[in-house]
Amino acid sequence: MRIGFFVPCYVDMLAPQVAISTYNLLRRFGLDPEFIEQASCCALPFTDMGYGKKACRLESGLVPLLSGYDHVVVPSGICTDQFRAHFDGIEQTDQVKAIRASVCDPVEFLHDILRVDSLPWAHFPHKVALHNGCHSLRYLLEAKPSELAIPDFSKTADLLGLVDGLEVVYATRRDECCGFGGAFSIWDTSCSGQMGIDKVNDYARNGYRYVTSADYSCLLHQQTIARKHGIDIKTFYITELLNGDARP
């Protein structure tokens, strides 16, 4: 199985530990992921802002870099969704369609493809609030959105349940957006910030100190707001917990 490893630009710049934990976790399963060094941005910011021509140029440059892999693992739900659902500024050739079908985030790859059922190295004896980001929840369908009348499931919770001692908990309004929203957090800072405050205050009221997600963008937003307002929470990307790297 040939695995490509695409590290999103914001992860590379702001949270290299996310990429390191994900890469090392894949190695634990006997895989040899190939870091796609020349690739950086998935074009999401340009797509979000309606700059189709700029998105097209980025997408065109990514096609030869992401081709030829059985799976391309992207440690970011929001970037995975960009490839899956919005990588359409260029002609939809068979090569492009194959790339879109091959991209997955770590939760999908571990749960659906590797079917992981044991993480003997992972230990974290604490309650951890699980935030399923909007893209991971409603586009990648990694858990049941609370507004849908369908059977309950959660791929993220299933994987976290394999971590020794970890108890998955949720905010009172578990599926409510935390306010990050990419360009939205720049265009409407007041609304974005208030949504983030509401989310981290919800954790605090419930006595939750640790938070995880398959979207580091959401965790970055929440951790920054918590730090600014003196709210005692600590965030971990999901692979930091699954690989045994998280420390209280």
Side-chain angles (χ1 to χ4, degrees), residues 78-97:
I78 192 170
C79 296
T80 299
D81 177 54
Q82 168 69 15
F83 283 118
R84 188 86 52 79
H86 306 290
F87 198 69
D88 51 14
I90 53 178
E91 182 183 354
Q92 296 299 291
T93 63
D94 289 343
Q95 186 181 22
V96 171
K97 291 177 182 177

Side-chain angles (χ1 to χ4, degrees), residues 3 55 58 154 215 248:
I3 307 298
L58 272 175
S154 176
D215 259 310

Side-chain angles (χ1 to χ4, degrees), residues 39-169:
S40 55
C41 182
C42 65
L44 173 63
F46 298 114
T47 300
D48 260 3
M49 293 185 287
Y51 298 146
K53 290 184 179 179
K54 291 185 178 181
C56 179
R57 284 198 292 271
L58 272 175
E59 291 174 4
S60 296
L62 287 170
V63 171
L65 301 176
L66 271 61
S67 296
Y69 294 104
D70 297 300
H71 302 284
V72 177
V73 178
V74 181
S76 169
I78 192 170
C79 296
T80 299
D81 177 54
Q82 168 69 15
F83 283 118
R84 188 86 52 79
H86 306 290
F87 198 69
D88 51 14
I90 53 178
E91 182 183 354
Q92 296 299 291
T93 63
D94 289 343
Q95 186 181 22
V96 171
K97 291 177 182 177
I99 291 171
R100 295 177 70 170
S102 72
V103 172
C104 54
D105 87 334
V107 170
E108 295 177 309
F109 187 72
L110 296 169
H111 187 279
D112 298 343
I113 297 167
L114 293 188
R115 298 186 181 277
V116 170
D117 59 8
S118 176
L119 299 168
W121 50 80
H123 178 71
F124 197 78
H126 304 278
K127 290 182 178 180
V128 179
L130 171 56
H131 172 75
N132 286 308
C134 296
H135 286 255
S136 297
L137 183 68
R138 297 184 172 92
Y139 294 99
L140 302 184
L141 290 177
E142 293 184 351
K144 172 192 175 296
S146 54
E147 67 270 14
L148 297 185
I150 60 176
D152 193 24
F153 71 97
S154 176
K155 299 175 185 179
T156 42
D158 287 349
L159 291 171
L160 289 168
L162 301 176
V163 178
D164 179 52
L166 189 151
E167 179 184 351
V168 175
V169 293

Side-chain angles (χ1 to χ4, degrees), residues 221-237:
H221 181 62
Q222 294 175 43
Q223 183 72 79
T224 301
I225 288 173
R227 187 181 300 118
K228 179 179 180 180
H229 292 273
I231 300 170
D232 185 22
I233 67 168
K234 189 173 183 179
T235 61
F236 299 106
Y237 186 64

